[in-house]
Amino acid sequence: MFNSNYFVYITTNFNRTVLDIGITNDLATRLQQHFQNSDDKKTFAGRYYCYKLIYFERFTNPVHAIEREKQLKGWSRSKKEALIRSKNPELKFLNYIAEEKVIN
């Protein structure tokens, strides 16, 4: 029924002091938007410079992605960090490659 990709993602700032969780159907473009909005006080990601990708999950059903985003947003910081570390133990900034776009 669904044939698109939906992503729940977690970004952070350079010092990894803030976590931002979002959902998108175009992760590369969304990360570029976060970067371009750096220092934009009207957005959470801009206010805290959250444009470094540290975790993402892919879904084919948008309802499942929305449910997961809501679930993660309700978690404590320590639980979110444990999830991130399960796939990215050193909390490295990830490069996401899609359709020949490279996001650092």
Side-chain angles (χ1 to χ4, degrees):
M1 181 170 161
F2 300 103
N3 58 7
S4 295
N5 288 312
Y6 299 89
F7 300 90
V8 174
Y9 62 88
I10 301 177
T11 57
T12 189
N13 58 3
F14 187 75
N15 294 320
R16 296 172 182 85
T17 56
V18 178
L19 299 176
D20 182 37
I21 299 172
I23 185 173
T24 184
N25 65 348
D26 186 344
L27 186 55
T29 298
R30 189 68 186 120
L31 292 171
Q32 287 175 340
Q33 291 169 341
H34 277 302
F35 179 75
Q36 291 168 348
N37 289 336
S38 295
D39 200 33
D40 181 349
K41 304 299 183 209
K42 294 181 226 159
T43 69
F44 182 87
R47 188 169 36 252
Y48 295 103
Y49 296 86
C50 290
Y51 60 84
K52 297 289 193 178
L53 181 66
I54 57 172
Y55 182 85
F56 68 93
E57 296 176 9
R58 184 186 321 251
F59 297 84
T60 56
N61 184 320
V63 173
H64 295 158
I66 292 166
E67 289 170 351
R68 181 63 166 165
E69 178 196 27
K70 289 179 182 179
Q71 178 187 40
L72 295 180
K73 285 186 173 187
W75 285 7
S76 67
R77 166 90 185 207
S78 61
K79 193 169 179 179
K80 292 172 193 173
E81 284 183 358
L83 173 68
I84 296 164
R85 287 183 189 280
S86 73
K87 303 265 171 125
N88 182 1
E90 297 175 18
L91 299 178
K92 290 183 178 180
F93 301 141
L94 304 175
N95 293 327
Y96 177 74
I97 302 171
E99 300 172 325
E100 300 179 21
K101 297 178 187 175
V102 177
I103 304 301
N104 292 317

